Amino acid sequence: MWSWLFHRISGLGILLFLFIHIVDVSMLSFGPDVYNQSVTLFDYWIVRLLSLSLVVAVLYHAFNGVRIMAIDFWRKGSRYQRAMFGAVLVLTLVVFIPVAYIIMLPALHWLTQMPHSTAGH
Amino acid sequence: MLRISTGRGPRPAMGSNFETFSWYYFRVSGAVLLIMVLVHLFIMHVSNDVSCTTYAFVAARYSNIFWRVFDWLLLTLALTHGMNGLRIFIDDYVRKPGARMWLMSIAALLLLVFFMLGTITLITFQPVTSALGAQCLPR
């Protein structure tokens, strides 16, 4: 049941981001200044934190999607569904941690108040 | 044909195979999206920092038709997969006939508008040559 609920919530969250993303990409039509302004928005550390929630939602939704297909198409899928849910959670976390570190790295110096040439906004 | 239960009267007669199509569509598009989305996330957030995905970056990327086709496929699959999910959401949780009708109509309109906005952006993008060069945002 939790796997099902997380799948719905993450799916809805990703769809919401997709709408925002189509709009921010459409800023390309207004030229470099407008578009780069929208890129600046994604560079803020608080928006980087928000993108971490996107990454975790995408990873969970992707791995749990594989689990759903395994339950549907693999003969032993339903027998191992519980173990596979555990694997989905572990895999999500294992992939998320390094990606989160890489995304937050340019903003980490700002967060710790250290002067740095690549400090964010 | 897609038949939506309005909440009034009996359920729509069976014989519509849209739900079967939808069930397979989730799985097939999901399998393709799994690869495409992870590749996209890797390029935009791991191998490049988001602060370097500027206009000049997009211009360099879209000079290759491959990435325009890749991004259009990603747009189409993600939007149809996601909006089909929203349709099931509305179908499951909205009981009132009027609200169902309105929300389903709004969802269909959103699908059309966002699909067209994304497609037009991808097709019509012609980089301004003066903006080419340095890709990362100035610090």
Side-chain angles (χ1 to χ4, degrees), chain A residues 8 32 36 43 48 62 72 106, chain B residues 27 34 49 55 92-93 139:
Chain A
R8 289 210 153 183
N36 289 347
D43 192 28
R48 282 176 187 270
D72 290 339
Chain B
R27 280 144 186 85
L34 173 81
D49 185 62
Y55 189 91
D92 281 354
Y93 299 121
R139 294 285 183 181

Side-chain angles (χ1 to χ4, degrees), chain A residues 83-111:
Chain A
M84 285 193 290
F85 181 49
V88 165
L89 293 180
V90 169
L91 203 58
T92 301
L93 211 62
V94 164
V95 178
F96 174 70
I97 290 167
V99 174
Y101 176 72
I102 292 167
I103 289 176
M104 290 313 291
L105 197 58
L108 284 179
H109 296 280
W110 191 94
L111 283 173

Side-chain angles (χ1 to χ4, degrees), chain B residues 25-44:
Chain B
Y25 187 76
F26 267 131
R27 280 144 186 85
V28 172
S29 61
V32 179
L33 279 168
L34 173 81
I35 309 292
M36 293 184 83
V37 170
L38 293 184
V39 166
H40 180 74
L41 267 183
F42 184 84
I43 294 172
M44 298 303 169

